[in-house]
């Protein structure tokens, strides 16, 4: 998370300074801005056009306004599109009496942010979203908390509306490696078999990856799903696949992306389901890998040869690769080091100028 705090009075700036320090103590990147007369130390003065701060960070930065709601509305108005892409926007008064998640409460995290600010400052969080007010299960909150992907916005709204009308939502989880813990919301029925799940009018399916496809591969976004056309159905996909990559020096981001997509497609996976990229430390400044990581916002980590050799066995060894890098198989060793308790679903696979291995990270959902 990255947070920008904008304050407009002396009292508001002092409050913002305390909150900013708390964010930074939590390891969260935070920058404070205030009018030039109140700027000091870590608090920067507003640029000539303060709205540029909003434009530059929109969709990737959370914004906390300490001041009037009207000021926040005027600042963000030109950039508001929809809750799937908007930034989280929170407003707090300068005495920390109330904190309001103004925009992108669920998917953007404004509700979560406002609740955290309430804990730090003693402010009263003002919630206006129907599911929050009624304390009911919200599929978009569920998806965000557990890094689940969904593409059908209309059906997500249908599910939320059904919950508010008192409907039960059946959640099919056929993958036994997905662990469910804690007190399950009363609106949600966890089903481990399709026979139990099918009769419910409103349902979701939690899916990780499919077994390697033997038929002609389709584009992930166009893959046929027998449930997709059902009314009241929403597919949620986990973001728990790590990719290990070995590659030639100077490989382009385009070639890396193409090769990785080809491998993912064979397993019915999408780039958005990747939770990490791993390789050997010789590749830590490989431009193509760094660009790919940045493009898709996927963490990129590397390990030295000694660390990689702790993996006891691999599916394929190369004397040439070992002579160059110090290890016989970069991709498998890297990804299994990154997710030591994961399941190897794709052993070393050769593509143009690169090798790829995939590991499925365990999924644990605790309500």
């Amino acid at each position: 998370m990255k947070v920008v705090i904008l304050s407009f009075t002396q009292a508001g700036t002092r409050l913002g300074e305390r909150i900013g320090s708390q964010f930074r103590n939590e390891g969260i990147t935070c920058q404070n801005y205030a009018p030039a007369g109140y700027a000091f130390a870590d608090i920067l003065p507003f640029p000539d056009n303060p709205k540029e701060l909003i434009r530059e960070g929109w969709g990737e930065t959370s914004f906390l306004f300490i001041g009037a709601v009207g000021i926040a509305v005027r600042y963000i108005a030109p950039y508001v599109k929809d809750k799937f892409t908007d930034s989280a926007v929170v407003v707090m008064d300068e005495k920390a009496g109330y904190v309001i998640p103004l925009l992108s409460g669920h998917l953007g995290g404004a509700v979560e942010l406002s609740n955290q600010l309430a804990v730090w400052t003693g402010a009263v969080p003002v919630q206006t979203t129907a599911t929050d007010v009624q304390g009911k299960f919200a599929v978009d909150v569920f998806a965000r908390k557990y890094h689940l992907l969904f593409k059908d916005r209309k059906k997500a709204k249908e599910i939320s509306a059904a919950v508010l009308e008192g409907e039960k939502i059946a959640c099919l989880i056929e993958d036994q490696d997905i662990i469910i813990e804690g007190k399950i919301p009363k609106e949600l029925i966890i089903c481990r078999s399709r026979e139990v799940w099918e009769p419910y009018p409103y349902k979701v399916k939690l899916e990780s990856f499919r077994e390697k496809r033997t038929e002609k591969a389709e584009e992930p976004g166009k893959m046929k799903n027998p449930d997709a056309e059902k009314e009241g159905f929403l597919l949620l996909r986990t973001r728990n696949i790590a990719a290990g990559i070995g590659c030639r020096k100077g490989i382009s981001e385009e070639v890396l992306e193409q090769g990785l997509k080809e491998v993912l497609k064979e397993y019915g996976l999408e780039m958005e389901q990747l939770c990490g990229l791993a390789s050997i430390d010789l590749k830590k400044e490989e431009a193509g890998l760094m660009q790919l990581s940045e493009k898709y916002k996927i963490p990129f980590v590397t390990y030295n040869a000694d660390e990689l050799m702790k993996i006891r066995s691999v599916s394929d060894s190369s004397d040439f690769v070992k002579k160059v890098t110090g290890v016989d198989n970069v991709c498998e060793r890297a990804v299994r080091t990154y997710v030591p308790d994961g399941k190897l679903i794709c052993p070393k696979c050769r593509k143009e100028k690169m090798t790829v291995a995939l590991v499925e990270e365990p999924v644990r959902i605790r309500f």
Side-chain angles (χ1 to χ4, degrees):
M1 181 191 296
K2 180 180 180 182
V3 179
V4 165
I5 300 176
L6 300 96
S7 54
F8 303 89
T9 65
Q10 186 176 49
T13 302
R14 289 173 178 167
L15 174 61
E17 180 190 22
R18 295 199 301 273
I19 294 172
S21 295
Q22 185 68 55
F23 276 124
R24 288 185 282 273
N25 288 341
E26 296 289 328
I28 296 171
T29 302
C30 180
Q31 182 59 64
N32 294 64
Y33 291 91
Y38 305 131
F40 62 93
D42 293 330
I43 300 175
L44 299 179
F46 282 136
D48 293 337
N49 182 3
K51 290 183 180 179
E52 283 297 300
L53 294 173
I54 310 300
R55 184 187 64 78
E56 291 173 1
W58 196 252
E60 297 184 355
T61 299
S62 297
F63 295 94
L64 168 60
F65 287 82
I66 301 179
V69 170
I71 294 176
V73 170
R74 286 191 289 273
Y75 270 58
I76 69 174
Y79 313 107
V80 175
K81 294 179 181 178
D82 63 65
K83 67 178 183 179
F84 291 88
T85 58
D86 288 335
S87 285
V89 179
V90 176
V91 180
M92 174 182 280
D93 65 274
E94 65 179 32
K95 289 188 176 181
Y98 299 92
V99 56
I100 307 168
L102 186 64
L103 190 68
S104 199
H106 287 167
L107 291 179
V111 169
E112 182 180 353
L113 180 57
S114 65
N115 289 336
Q116 183 60 67
L117 290 168
V119 171
W120 288 346
T121 66
V124 177
V126 180
Q127 312 292 4
T128 58
T129 305
T131 49
D132 292 319
V133 171
Q134 295 192 31
K136 292 182 178 292
F137 170 79
V139 70
D140 49 358
V141 175
F142 178 63
R144 182 181 186 275
K145 183 175 181 180
Y146 296 105
H147 309 291
L148 306 175
L149 309 170
F150 66 89
K151 294 187 175 181
D152 196 324
R153 304 179 184 187
K154 181 179 178 182
K155 289 185 178 178
K157 291 179 180 179
E158 288 179 8
I159 297 293
S160 294
V163 169
L164 293 172
E165 293 298 321
E167 295 282 353
K168 299 289 186 182
I169 309 301
C171 178
L172 177 63
I173 306 176
E174 295 176 296
D175 186 345
Q176 298 302 314
D177 292 330
I178 298 178
I179 307 300
I180 305 295
E181 300 176 328
K183 186 178 180 180
I184 299 169
K186 62 182 180 180
E187 299 87 6
L188 195 64
I189 308 298
I190 302 298
C191 305
R192 288 291 186 176
S193 73
R194 184 172 287 271
E195 290 72 23
V196 174
W197 176 74
E198 280 285 5
Y200 286 88
Y202 295 95
K203 43 187 169 279
V204 297
K205 181 182 179 184
L206 186 56
E207 180 178 275
S208 177
F209 84 101
R210 304 171 189 178
E211 294 299 327
K212 187 172 182 180
R213 300 167 65 84
T214 56
E215 68 271 24
K216 183 179 179 181
E218 303 173 67
E219 290 297 329
K222 299 179 180 179
M223 289 186 298
K224 296 177 182 178
N225 187 304
D227 304 303
E229 300 303 320
K230 294 180 180 179
E231 187 176 350
F233 167 78
L234 181 67
L235 176 64
L236 301 173
R237 309 203 73 191
T238 58
R239 190 187 186 192
N240 67 319
I241 305 298
I245 296 179
C247 62
R248 294 185 186 177
K249 184 176 181 180
I251 188 173
S252 69
E253 183 269 331
E254 292 78 13
V255 173
L256 280 166
E257 181 176 4
Q258 179 62 32
L260 185 52
K261 280 185 173 180
E262 288 176 2
V263 175
L264 291 171
K265 187 164 60 176
E266 292 179 8
Y267 292 84
L269 295 165
E270 305 176 58
M271 289 289 288
E272 289 76 12
Q273 288 184 260
L274 290 177
C275 62
L277 300 174
S279 191
I280 192 167
D281 60 357
L282 296 173
K283 300 297 178 182
K284 65 181 177 182
E285 295 183 359
E286 189 69 52
L289 282 168
M290 295 170 68
Q291 291 163 5
L292 188 66
S293 168
E294 176 62 26
K295 180 176 180 178
Y296 287 96
K297 308 301 180 188
I298 305 170
F300 172 47
V301 298
T302 61
Y303 304 95
N304 63 42
D306 289 340
E307 290 176 290
L308 297 183
M309 287 303 293
K310 291 178 182 178
I311 299 298
R312 292 187 177 182
S313 63
V314 289
S315 65
D316 179 84
S317 298
S318 168
D319 292 336
F320 174 76
V321 171
K322 186 170 185 179
K323 186 180 297 185
V324 174
T325 66
V327 298
D328 56 351
N329 182 323
V330 170
C331 61
E332 265 187 50
R333 291 184 180 278
V335 73
R336 291 172 62 191
T337 302
Y338 183 63
V339 188
D341 57 345
K343 179 171 66 177
L344 182 68
I345 60 174
C346 171
K348 180 178 177 180
C349 177
R350 292 176 175 83
K351 292 294 177 180
E352 182 184 355
K353 300 181 181 179
M354 64 184 293
T355 58
V356 179
L358 302 177
V359 162
E360 180 187 26
E361 186 176 28
V363 176
R364 187 177 296 274
I365 293 177
R366 181 170 182 80
F367 288 100

